[in-house]
Amino acid sequence: MTVEDLLQALDRKDNTEAYQALLELERLSSDSNVLYPYTEKFAEMTESDRNVVRVRGVRLFCSQAKWDSGSMIDRFLDQVLSVLQDDRPTTVRQTLAALQDVVRYKPELRDKVIEAADKIDVSRYKDTMQGLLIGDIGRLHDMIDRNDE
Protein backbone atom coordinates (compact mmCIF):
# COMPACT_ATOMS: atom_id res chain seq x y z
CA MET A 1 0.00 0.00 0.00
CA THR A 2 1.14 3.52 -0.74
CA VAL A 3 1.07 6.32 1.82
CA GLU A 4 -1.99 7.73 0.05
CA ASP A 5 -3.77 4.36 0.31
CA LEU A 6 -2.94 4.15 4.01
CA LEU A 7 -4.21 7.68 4.62
CA GLN A 8 -7.47 6.92 2.85
CA ALA A 9 -7.88 3.75 4.91
CA LEU A 10 -7.84 5.80 8.13
CA ASP A 11 -11.39 6.97 7.50
CA ARG A 12 -12.88 3.61 6.51
CA LYS A 13 -15.73 2.06 8.45
CA ASP A 14 -13.78 -1.22 8.63
CA ASN A 15 -11.98 -0.57 11.90
CA THR A 16 -9.61 -3.50 11.48
CA GLU A 17 -8.35 -2.17 8.16
CA ALA A 18 -8.20 1.41 9.48
CA TYR A 19 -6.31 0.34 12.60
CA GLN A 20 -3.76 -1.60 10.55
CA ALA A 21 -3.27 1.49 8.38
CA LEU A 22 -2.77 3.58 11.54
CA LEU A 23 -0.13 1.20 12.85
CA GLU A 24 1.72 1.23 9.54
CA LEU A 25 1.59 5.02 9.37
CA GLU A 26 2.89 5.26 12.95
CA ARG A 27 5.75 2.93 11.99
CA LEU A 28 6.57 5.13 9.01
CA SER A 29 6.43 8.20 11.26
CA SER A 30 8.93 6.74 13.69
CA ASP A 31 11.39 5.98 10.89
CA SER A 32 11.19 9.08 8.69
CA ASN A 33 9.51 12.41 8.05
CA VAL A 34 7.55 11.08 5.06
CA LEU A 35 4.22 11.95 6.76
CA TYR A 36 5.22 15.39 8.02
CA PRO A 37 3.54 17.11 5.04
CA TYR A 38 0.24 15.65 6.29
CA THR A 39 0.47 17.18 9.77
CA GLU A 40 -2.31 19.68 9.07
CA LYS A 41 -4.54 16.87 7.77
CA PHE A 42 -3.93 14.95 11.00
CA ALA A 43 -4.90 18.03 13.01
CA GLU A 44 -8.11 18.35 10.96
CA MET A 45 -8.94 14.72 11.74
CA THR A 46 -9.09 15.63 15.45
CA GLU A 47 -12.29 17.55 14.72
CA SER A 48 -14.08 14.58 13.16
CA ASP A 49 -17.53 13.56 14.39
CA ARG A 50 -16.21 10.01 14.61
CA ASN A 51 -14.27 9.25 17.77
CA VAL A 52 -11.98 6.71 16.15
CA VAL A 53 -10.95 9.21 13.47
CA ARG A 54 -10.22 11.84 16.15
CA VAL A 55 -7.95 9.43 17.98
CA ARG A 56 -6.15 8.40 14.79
CA GLY A 57 -5.62 12.07 13.98
CA VAL A 58 -4.20 12.79 17.44
CA ARG A 59 -1.82 9.85 17.33
CA LEU A 60 -0.49 10.70 13.89
CA PHE A 61 -0.31 14.43 14.60
CA CYS A 62 1.74 13.90 17.76
CA SER A 63 4.06 11.43 16.03
CA GLN A 64 5.13 14.25 13.70
CA ALA A 65 6.64 16.23 16.60
CA LYS A 66 9.91 14.39 16.03
CA TRP A 67 10.13 15.90 12.53
CA ASP A 68 8.61 19.33 13.15
CA SER A 69 10.93 21.75 11.41
CA GLY A 70 8.19 24.14 10.29
CA SER A 71 6.38 24.64 13.61
CA MET A 72 3.27 22.81 12.40
CA ILE A 73 2.86 21.23 15.82
CA ASP A 74 2.96 24.67 17.44
CA ARG A 75 0.35 26.01 15.02
CA PHE A 76 -2.22 23.27 15.53
CA LEU A 77 -1.54 22.14 19.09
CA ASP A 78 -4.49 24.01 20.65
CA GLN A 79 -6.85 22.27 18.26
CA VAL A 80 -5.43 18.88 19.17
CA LEU A 81 -5.38 19.63 22.90
CA SER A 82 -9.14 20.21 22.77
CA VAL A 83 -9.51 16.42 22.44
CA LEU A 84 -8.48 16.25 26.12
CA GLN A 85 -12.02 17.45 26.90
CA ASP A 86 -13.63 14.51 25.08
CA ASP A 87 -16.55 12.72 26.70
CA ARG A 88 -14.86 9.35 26.24
CA PRO A 89 -12.12 8.66 28.78
CA THR A 90 -10.39 6.20 26.44
CA THR A 91 -10.04 8.99 23.89
CA VAL A 92 -8.52 11.24 26.54
CA ARG A 93 -6.15 8.47 27.64
CA GLN A 94 -4.93 7.84 24.09
CA THR A 95 -4.46 11.57 23.60
CA LEU A 96 -2.40 11.83 26.79
CA ALA A 97 -0.24 8.92 25.62
CA ALA A 98 0.28 10.46 22.18
CA LEU A 99 1.22 13.81 23.70
CA GLN A 100 4.32 12.17 25.14
CA ASP A 101 5.90 12.62 21.69
CA VAL A 102 5.18 16.34 21.79
CA VAL A 103 6.64 16.63 25.29
CA ARG A 104 9.71 14.62 24.22
CA TYR A 105 10.50 16.44 20.98
CA LYS A 106 9.07 19.93 21.51
CA PRO A 107 10.29 21.12 24.93
CA GLU A 108 9.02 24.63 24.26
CA LEU A 109 5.46 23.24 24.24
CA ARG A 110 5.68 21.29 27.50
CA ASP A 111 4.01 23.97 29.61
CA LYS A 112 1.08 24.22 27.21
CA VAL A 113 0.60 20.44 27.15
CA ILE A 114 0.79 20.13 30.94
CA GLU A 115 -1.57 23.05 31.46
CA ALA A 116 -4.16 21.39 29.21
CA ALA A 117 -3.66 18.00 30.86
CA ASP A 118 -4.04 19.50 34.33
CA LYS A 119 -7.37 21.05 33.29
CA ILE A 120 -8.94 17.66 32.66
CA ASP A 121 -11.86 17.21 35.07
CA VAL A 122 -11.37 13.54 35.84
CA SER A 123 -14.41 13.57 38.17
CA ARG A 124 -16.70 13.62 35.12
CA TYR A 125 -15.66 10.07 34.24
CA LYS A 126 -16.51 6.77 35.91
CA ASP A 127 -14.63 6.01 39.11
CA THR A 128 -12.83 3.14 37.38
CA MET A 129 -11.32 5.56 34.85
CA GLN A 130 -10.38 8.40 37.18
CA GLY A 131 -7.28 6.76 38.62
CA LEU A 132 -6.09 5.71 35.18
CA LEU A 133 -6.42 9.28 33.89
CA ILE A 134 -4.61 10.67 36.93
CA GLY A 135 -1.82 8.17 36.28
CA ASP A 136 -1.61 9.20 32.60
CA ILE A 137 -1.35 12.86 33.56
CA GLY A 138 1.30 11.95 36.14
CA ARG A 139 3.34 10.17 33.45
CA LEU A 140 3.42 13.36 31.39
CA HIS A 141 4.62 15.29 34.45
CA ASP A 142 7.27 12.63 35.11
CA MET A 143 8.53 12.81 31.52
CA ILE A 144 8.95 16.56 31.81
CA ASP A 145 10.61 16.31 35.21
CA ARG A 146 13.10 13.73 33.87
CA ASN A 147 13.86 15.82 30.79
CA ASP A 148 14.37 18.99 32.85
CA GLU A 149 17.09 17.38 34.94
Side-chain angles (χ1 to χ4, degrees):
M1 280 187 138
T2 67
V3 167
E4 289 298 326
D5 291 336
L6 291 168
L7 290 169
Q8 287 178 357
L10 288 174
D11 200 26
R12 296 221 174 98
K13 298 284 185 193
D14 180 347
N15 280 330
T16 302
E17 182 182 354
Y19 184 68
Q20 290 306 311
L22 170 67
L23 293 178
E24 179 61 18
L25 289 166
E26 286 180 324
R27 187 192 65 73
L28 288 171
S29 292
S30 72
D31 295 340
S32 79
N33 67 349
V34 68
L35 295 177
Y36 182 69
Y38 300 96
T39 304
E40 185 172 356
K41 174 189 174 36
F42 300 144
E44 289 169 4
M45 289 171 63
T46 66
E47 296 182 330
S48 173
D49 292 337
R50 293 179 52 216
N51 180 58
V52 293
V53 174
R54 282 195 309 277
V55 169
R56 292 173 194 146
V58 166
R59 287 173 59 167
L60 290 167
F61 174 86
C62 292
S63 69
Q64 302 316 304
K66 181 178 185 178
W67 311 108
D68 190 23
S69 58
S71 297
M72 293 288 282
I73 300 296
D74 307 53
R75 242 177 298 170
F76 295 101
L77 185 60
D78 288 336
Q79 180 177 329
V80 172
L81 289 174
S82 69
V83 179
L84 290 174
Q85 299 306 316
D86 200 275
D87 291 334
R88 293 185 170 105
T90 54
T91 299
V92 176
R93 292 196 72 212
Q94 287 191 58
T95 300
L96 288 166
L99 285 167
Q100 290 182 19
D101 281 340
V102 175
V103 166
R104 182 177 297 116
Y105 296 110
K106 302 285 291 185
E108 68 276 14
L109 298 176
R110 289 176 181 164
D111 289 344
K112 183 179 260 193
V113 170
I114 284 299
E115 182 180 328
D118 287 344
K119 286 183 181 175
I120 298 169
D121 179 8
V122 297
S123 69
R124 64 187 270 217
Y125 303 109
K126 291 181 182 177
D127 291 346
T128 55
M129 294 303 291
Q130 291 177 17
L132 296 171
L133 286 162
I134 291 167
D136 295 336
I137 294 166
R139 272 185 281 293
L140 272 179
H141 278 278
D142 291 344
M143 276 188 76
I144 290 171
D145 292 345
R146 279 193 308 271
N147 288 318
D148 283 344
E149 293 174 352

